[in-house]
Amino acid sequence: MIYEADVHVREKLLPMFNNMDSTIVLSYLQGHMGTAWVDDLENPTVAQITVGIFVYFAGDPNTEAAEELLNNLSDFSLVIVDTEEWKSSIETVHIGKIEKFDRYRFEKNPVHLDRTHLKNLLSTLPEGYEIKKVDKKIVNAPTFHEVSEDFVSQFNSIDDFIDRGIGYAILHDGKIVSAATSFSIYDEGIEIEIATNSDYRKKGLATIVASALILDCLDKGKYASWDGANPESVKLAEKLGYILKESYDTYFINNTK
């Protein structure tokens, strides 16, 4: 039997996820967004945290509740764990449904993000393009959501994003062609979501819009965390000043199979 955690249970999960190097996990543990499920509301020994498509497991994987939690997924999930036992359990429970690949963590040190360098990158915006902070007009524009469905998807509403989130967009001929936003938020900062319209790639727009977002976060005393989904994301992060820490296993689980 598994149970959805409430605010009182959330506090009990801090030690269980202590070794999980993820600002998305912090988004839940600090009470900003996401949900969690546990095996026991009083004394949880195994838990699942979900924020959007990202799912994290911790605790004892060798229990019936752990297997139940591993099956408590939406149609498509990116599952992240930090022990070989959990990886073995995932590969057993979801055999035939998984694709294992690398994601990339970076050092979380604002000293690595040089304002002068970022301002220089920001100054390379091509003629005919404009960059704007995401406001209600931009966030309601169809082209904004066509670039990525995840720019604001973890917030309760568009108003909630405007109130608690942050983002910048690049426009061309009135159309949003690239943007960087807070996929999630935690006490000390945000996790970056960035995407560019496929017709406008290889123009440096992602670099420019990310620079605007990072500068704004630095000005507010917040950290803009970067987690790379692929080698291209790693190259972009390093161009901005981030320093690669390590790669880590991630499971894409297709629960429709």
Side-chain angles (χ1 to χ4, degrees):
M1 191 77 160
I2 59 174
Y3 308 90
E4 186 170 2
D6 60 18
V7 62
H8 304 293
V9 179
R10 187 172 69 222
E11 297 172 356
K12 300 175 183 179
L13 302 184
L14 290 168
M16 200 180 297
F17 287 90
N18 188 50
N19 294 325
M20 194 77 76
D21 182 10
S22 168
T23 65
I24 298 178
V25 168
L26 290 179
S27 294
Y28 172 76
L29 292 175
Q30 294 173 351
H32 296 286
M33 49 188 48
T35 58
W37 292 78
V38 296
D39 62 329
D40 190 296
L41 294 173
E42 294 300 323
N43 297 293
T45 64
V46 62
Q48 167 191 1
I49 288 176
T50 301
V51 180
I53 196 173
F54 290 92
V55 184
Y56 302 82
F57 294 99
D60 184 0
N62 302 308
T63 62
E64 289 184 12
E67 183 170 346
E68 191 173 354
L69 288 172
L70 283 170
N71 282 298
N72 185 37
L73 301 174
S74 58
D75 287 348
F76 303 102
S77 300
L78 291 177
V79 176
I80 299 161
V81 293
D82 66 350
T83 71
E84 294 303 317
E85 276 190 305
W86 271 110
K87 293 176 186 179
S88 177
S89 294
I90 290 168
E91 292 171 12
T92 300
V93 171
H94 292 289
I95 188 169
K97 299 180 180 180
I98 61 175
E99 177 188 344
K100 186 177 180 181
F101 66 99
D102 285 337
R103 286 184 69 93
Y104 303 89
R105 291 191 182 99
F106 294 83
E107 301 288 348
K108 294 178 177 62
N109 190 339
V111 173
H112 299 157
L113 303 173
D114 181 72
R115 281 182 170 85
T116 300
H117 174 63
L118 292 166
K119 288 177 180 177
N120 287 337
L121 293 174
L122 187 56
S123 70
T124 62
L125 185 68
E127 186 176 349
Y129 293 78
E130 58 180 334
I131 188 164
K132 292 184 176 181
K133 191 169 185 176
V134 174
D135 56 15
K136 283 192 175 182
K137 182 177 180 181
I138 289 175
V139 82
N140 281 295
T143 53
F144 180 72
H145 299 279
E146 288 169 7
V147 174
S148 174
E149 296 178 351
D150 289 322
F151 282 142
V152 302
S153 60
Q154 302 319 306
F155 292 83
N156 297 326
S157 64
I158 285 175
D159 286 341
D160 184 38
F161 172 81
I162 295 298
D163 182 47
R164 297 193 295 149
I166 184 174
Y168 281 81
I170 294 177
L171 290 78
H172 182 253
D173 292 336
K175 180 172 74 172
I176 292 134
V177 297
S178 184
T181 70
S182 48
F183 171 81
S184 59
I185 58 174
Y186 65 110
D187 287 354
E188 296 82 16
I190 68 167
E191 183 72 32
I192 292 178
E193 169 74 13
I194 186 166
T196 300
N197 181 302
S198 59
D199 293 333
Y200 288 83
R201 292 173 186 163
K202 308 298 183 181
K203 299 178 183 293
L205 300 182
T207 302
I208 295 164
V209 78
S211 297
L213 179 61
I214 295 165
L215 282 166
D216 195 324
C217 288
L218 291 172
D219 289 344
K220 289 180 169 65
K222 299 290 186 179
Y223 184 71
S225 177
W226 193 289
D227 190 89
N230 51 52
E232 291 74 22
S233 179
V234 172
K235 290 179 183 177
L236 175 54
E238 291 178 334
K239 184 177 181 180
L240 291 161
Y242 293 93
I243 294 177
L244 182 65
K245 179 181 180 181
E246 62 187 355
S247 62
Y248 65 95
D249 292 332
T250 304
Y251 293 91
F252 173 74
I253 298 180
N254 181 350
N255 221 27
T256 65
K257 288 186 177 181

